[in-house]
Amino acid sequence: MEKIDMNRVILIKYGELTTKKDNRKVFINALYNNISNKLKGLDYHIEKDLSRMYIEFNEKDLEKILDKINHVFGIHAYTVAYKVNSDIKDIEELILDVLPKIEIETFKVETKRSDKLFPIESTEFSKRIGSLILKNKHNIKVDVHHPKTVFHIEIRKDYTYIYFEEYMGIGGYPVGTQGKGLLMLSGGIDSPVAGYLSMKRGINIDCVYFEAIPHTSIEARNKVIELAKKLLTYGNNINLYVVPFTEIQEAIYKNCDKEYVITIMRRMMYRIMEKLVHKYNAHVIINGESIGQVASQTLTSMEVINSVTNLPVIRPVACLDKLEIISIAEKIDTYNISILPYEDCCTVFVPRHPVINPKLDKCIIEEEKFDYNMMIDNIINNIMTIKILDKQDDYDGLL
Ligand code: ATP
Ligand code: MG
């Protein structure tokens, strides 16, 4: 290991999780573990207290570390700060050191003194540092209302942190703090976004992909793997469960009223999801359904389809417009994968006129035409698990 840069440190601010008074420690520990996991293999040292995390780093890894931090939920904001002893002389020396390195037109100094033992009160100290800066740099002005540069000085018990710019983190709760959900991940645009948004609420996800080989291709599966990889950049481990759905789908198509095949297919998916949620110790089903988007996502369709399970079904994009969903997909870098043209099991079997207002009685009559319970048991015993790995190399060439 090369020497870690002791002079600078990344300060992490928690934001929303600090409002969870009772759970605060649990949340902070989870965030600490998640950050540590993400930074594996990089040269850094991390410490935490109840209001901040402090990451010392080797300069050569700074960019990589910041990129990882931009993918960790639970971080409200962060900054790269200079660190000195909480000693007046040391602070002033550091200010003089950095002055030649930065451009200033207008500025102000903002001091926060969380260590009340520090001998000078905050406003007084800001004034003192302000005049030090004015004395040592020419052609600059104080502007307390709209300064171009702010000298933030955070005085804590042992150390003081000085920084100029603060960046927004991606917010939310640390992944894992809300337990596990199973995401129905198709190759489409909506479901990866649903996965991202549910992870943002702290849900640990595993993914389920319904596959209908030979009607769908290995390329379609690889596309789903690729999407799960993108989600993994925001989470911990992800298992992708591949459900062999061909037999049941063919049986639906052969036995049931064509108008109802999609409704019944989705009822079967939900039945299988319920069993998988129990099998893998999850609590909820998550999917990319969006109200009104297609025939199976009208409110009446949702009612009839959802009635096969009592589990909560989380639909993070239910109320978003397609354009809003697309803009999130672009931000999380899944859009370009999602639009690759491979068939999904739903699109292969789409009837010309799917029912828009399905009736529950009719579904039950249609479903009695074949022994789906046996098929579902058989499917559950033949799930394939793919562990999604974090290494880019394992992944290249899959598409
Ligand atoms: P997306 O909604 O992700 O863009 P899509 O439009 O192909 O994909 P829909 O037919 O709208 O999918 O299905 C709604 C939701 O059902 C999806 O968002 C996804 O959560 C789930 N789903 C559909 N097909 C599959 C599949 N083959 N495997 C897993 N989940 C699926
Ligand atoms: Mg959709």
Side-chain angles (χ1 to χ4, degrees), residues 199-399:
M199 291 165 97
K200 183 168 186 177
R201 291 291 90 200
I203 300 175
N204 207 357
I205 60 161
D206 280 330
C207 303
V208 179
Y209 168 56
F210 292 80
E211 174 172 83
I213 283 176
H215 310 293
T216 62
S217 61
I218 284 293
E219 283 81 4
R221 180 201 293 174
N222 286 341
K223 182 176 157 183
V224 173
I225 294 174
E226 189 93 11
L227 290 169
K229 278 269 187 177
K230 289 288 179 194
L231 293 177
L232 182 68
T233 63
Y234 296 93
N236 305 322
N237 299 316
I238 292 183
N239 286 323
L240 173 64
Y241 301 115
V242 180
V243 177
F245 203 48
T246 313
E247 190 190 8
I248 212 163
Q249 218 168 13
E250 287 176 349
I252 298 167
Y253 208 71
K254 190 166 133 222
N255 295 296
C256 305
D257 183 336
K258 294 285 169 291
E259 277 195 355
Y260 270 72
V261 293
I262 294 285
T263 313
I264 292 170
M265 185 187 77
R266 296 197 65 80
R267 281 163 60 86
M268 296 301 165
M269 282 184 171
Y270 273 48
R271 288 185 172 108
I272 293 166
M273 287 304 294
E274 180 176 79
K275 288 195 189 270
L276 295 180
V277 161
H278 295 313
K279 179 170 174 170
Y280 298 118
N281 298 318
H283 308 286
V284 295
I285 298 169
I286 302 157
N287 67 34
E289 288 172 352
S290 184
I291 297 164
Q293 197 183 80
V294 287
S296 63
Q297 292 164 29
T298 60
L299 292 187
T300 41
S301 279
M302 281 188 184
E303 183 185 18
V304 166
I305 291 164
N306 209 152
S307 69
V308 299
T309 178
N310 286 322
L311 284 176
V313 179
I314 311 287
R315 300 175 176 88
V317 302
C319 299
L320 299 187
D321 290 346
K322 195 74 188 187
L323 287 179
E324 292 172 307
I325 300 172
I326 287 174
S327 95
I328 300 175
E330 282 172 338
K331 190 179 85 182
I332 64 172
D333 208 18
T334 54
Y335 182 73
N336 285 329
I337 303 170
S338 293
I339 57 174
L340 292 172
Y342 301 113
E343 293 286 4
D344 181 66
C345 68
C346 297
T347 40
V348 174
F349 290 91
V350 162
R352 211 177 279 263
H353 299 293
V355 60
I356 288 171
N357 291 307
K359 302 278 176 289
L360 184 56
D361 303 355
K362 167 85 169 161
C363 287
I364 292 167
I365 293 168
E366 293 301 313
E367 286 170 354
E368 273 167 1
K369 293 179 179 168
F370 67 105
D371 186 357
Y372 63 82
N373 279 318
M374 198 193 69
M375 289 181 185
I376 288 178
D377 288 345
N378 193 27
I379 281 173
I380 300 294
N381 290 329
N382 286 289
I383 301 277
M384 178 172 68
T385 303
I386 299 176
K387 289 207 172 305
I388 303 298
L389 301 169
D390 214 354
K391 283 192 228 111
Q392 195 60 41
D393 310 8
D394 296 345
Y395 197 40
D396 288 343
L398 270 174
L399 276 178

Side-chain angles (χ1 to χ4, degrees), residues 42 105 124 197 250 325:
L42 298 172
E105 284 173 31
E124 229 14 73
L197 292 174
E250 287 176 349
I325 300 172

Side-chain angles (χ1 to χ4, degrees), residues 40 103 123 139 188 301 333 339:
K40 257 186 205 144
E103 273 191 33
T123 338
N139 300 327
S301 279
D333 208 18
I339 57 174

